[in-house]
Amino acid sequence: MRSDTEAPPTQRVGTAARNQSCWRPRWDSRRAAEAETPAEEPAGSALSPTARVEKINLAEKLSRFSEHWTPKVVGELNGQQVKLAKLLGPFVWHHHESEDELFLVVKGRLRMELRDRTVELEPGEFLIVPRGVEHRPVADEEVQVLLFEPASTLNTGNVRSELTAEHLERL
């Protein structure tokens, strides 16, 4: 196993490689920041990597909206979005061709109906619905959920309805 100070196998190994300004440990967030910073930008004008580090309070974000079945984006990472939603009643049966979805119950109880069974979720529990699996979330009383899914995921998947959220609001 490699330590955090060793160069990745695809890089040159040793002190010379580590001393070069282009080498960063795999976990170093500056690698991503450098890739996003245009070459013509003057040195020192880019935001520091920690300037984008913010904690998110789920209760505060959830207090900002009341509508049901309209996910709100609260974070993004690696092409994935973290969304919050309030659910009430049954949703539409649907599936996602290319995306898996994670449902984490923050408050309330969620019933996830699958074609062959039903899964009941309590607060603090989550369920991953694999791509291609037809499902229907049902909330007999209001449920607050955190969703984690690729940014390309449409909330109604392969179905278009009045519940389809084309453009998501960012909180």
Side-chain angles (χ1 to χ4, degrees):
M1 180 186 244
R2 182 173 90 234
S3 76
D4 288 340
T5 58
E6 291 180 57
T10 57
Q11 300 283 329
R12 289 176 287 172
V13 179
T15 306
R18 283 193 296 276
N19 289 336
Q20 291 180 356
S21 62
C22 66
W23 184 87
R24 298 273 188 256
R26 178 170 289 171
W27 50 264
D28 192 331
S29 61
R30 291 177 291 179
R31 289 170 41 149
E34 288 171 354
E36 294 170 4
T37 304
E40 66 275 359
E41 191 170 282
S45 66
L47 288 176
S48 75
T50 59
R52 293 178 283 157
V53 177
E54 297 177 26
K55 71 177 183 178
I56 303 295
N57 183 301
L58 298 181
E60 187 274 325
K61 296 290 186 183
L62 284 159
S63 73
R64 291 189 185 187
F65 67 97
S66 59
E67 59 273 7
H68 298 110
W69 304 110
T70 57
K72 311 293 184 194
V73 177
V74 294
E76 292 190 46
L77 65 154
N78 302 320
Q80 304 281 317
Q81 289 182 329
V82 180
K83 304 171 186 175
L84 293 175
K86 293 181 178 179
L87 318 179
L88 182 61
F91 200 55
V92 296
W93 280 101
H94 67 285
H95 71 273
H96 303 274
E97 287 294 326
S98 304
E99 303 100 355
D100 301 331
E101 287 183 289
L102 181 142
F103 291 81
L104 168 67
V105 175
V106 175
K107 184 176 179 183
R109 292 188 172 95
L110 178 64
R111 184 171 72 244
M112 185 63 71
E113 295 181 349
L114 307 170
R115 289 300 185 181
D116 64 344
R117 66 188 172 111
T118 299
V119 179
E120 302 278 341
L121 296 169
E122 301 284 331
E125 296 180 329
F126 72 87
L127 176 72
I128 297 172
V129 179
R131 66 194 68 169
V133 174
E134 197 168 23
H135 59 286
R136 179 174 82 152
V138 178
D140 295 325
E141 296 179 5
E142 185 176 86
V143 177
Q144 298 176 354
V145 297
L146 180 143
L147 306 166
F148 184 69
E149 55 198 10
S152 62
T153 303
L154 190 61
N155 68 328
T156 55
N158 64 320
V159 175
R160 298 285 179 164
S161 77
E162 66 280 355
L163 296 174
T164 302
E166 296 283 346
H167 306 286
L168 302 182
E169 179 183 348
R170 176 176 292 280
L171 295 181

